Amino acid sequence: MDVVMTVLLFLPILGVLWFANLSHRKRIEGDLRNERALKILSYGLLFLLYGVLVLGGLALLGAGLAALAAPEAFNSVDLASMGFQVERLPWMGAALLILSLFGLLLLTRPARRLFARFTPIDPSHPVHAVALSMTSLVLINLAFTMAVGIDNLADMLQTSAQAGVQSNPAPGLWVQNITFVLMGLIGVGLLARRSLGAALTRLGIVVPSWGQAMLGLVVGLVMVPLVIGAESLAAQLGLGASEGVERLTEQLIGPLTMSIPGILTLGLAAALGEETIFRGALQPRFGLVFTTLLFALLHSQYGLSFSTVAVFVIGLVLGILRQRVNTSTAMITHAIYNMSLGLISFLGLLQNV
């Protein structure tokens, strides 16, 4: 079910990116009539997507306010068993509504012109326009997660596990990150205005030299003790992750650290997908800092905690590797870092720390 939902969620996004690239191709060819039609189609699909989210936000907001005003009318509906707490429904609806409207605002030309003052985007480029607008989806994911509640999500997964529903995050993780790869490739023009080779070159995905591969390996290994040490220090200072964040992370990632295939998935899937879309596709247009911020906020299971800060710092390192070397080197670093943490957990090396 998670795999199906992931595919259904990302299909419209792939369509938006494809039509936007076709529109840009028609502009290059001087076919202004079809360029305008394809741009309207791309923007229209994105408008429809946000429209559905706006309606969902209004529905949740209305249901939450009604449930709080007349709880007796909802006695027959066991919202808790579905993972919802009545008092959180208005916040969930408000977050979905406001950030969906914000996504539509980012699609407007004044917003694009404002953003172009501190990033390399072209306000008139349809691909840049839809990419900027879709950054709000990252914020929606984070806000919705926090509105539901980290503790609540951890409880839901724990209840499912206790009921005998075994969770295997590997298929969903692979599908999500393969979709990220497709988003990166189609986003930079594959199937519309660039060949596969040209798209990979634009993404910075090349065959790394031995020196670049060794650089990625060393940086990935060095980051492991540094991040573990920083998180340990933060915990001693009372700045570490909350119990809810730790429980949710264990529910989501823990099963992957129980086997070698799971550890490989943890490293390879994230390295391929996240590096393609963030460092490869977005960073050259959004810049290092803003792209890294989106990368950190995408990891919504950490909420807004020290772990989010750690992911941001890791993203900066990966972004600098993209700037100074290439995306392939950043992929190697990301994979080595994730797999090293997975292997440490697998071997139980930090259980007594």
Side-chain angles (χ1 to χ4, degrees), residues 204-248:
I205 299 175
V206 300
V207 177
S209 66
W210 282 107
Q212 292 168 351
M214 288 302 300
L215 175 63
L217 172 66
V218 170
V219 174
L221 291 175
V222 167
M223 284 198 305
V224 173
L226 292 178
V227 172
I228 291 175
E231 290 188 337
S232 177
L233 178 61
Q236 293 178 11
L237 296 175
L239 301 174
S242 67
E243 181 184 351
V245 170
E246 291 180 350
R247 288 196 299 123
L248 181 59

Side-chain angles (χ1 to χ4, degrees), residues 239-279:
L239 301 174
S242 67
E243 181 184 351
V245 170
E246 291 180 350
R247 288 196 299 123
L248 181 59
T249 303
E250 176 60 28
Q251 294 284 346
L252 293 173
I253 299 177
L256 294 174
T257 64
M258 298 175 66
S259 68
I260 297 302
I263 293 171
L264 292 174
T265 291
L266 185 62
L268 298 178
L272 289 171
E274 293 177 3
E275 294 311 302
T276 296
I277 189 67
F278 285 100
R279 255 61 65 178

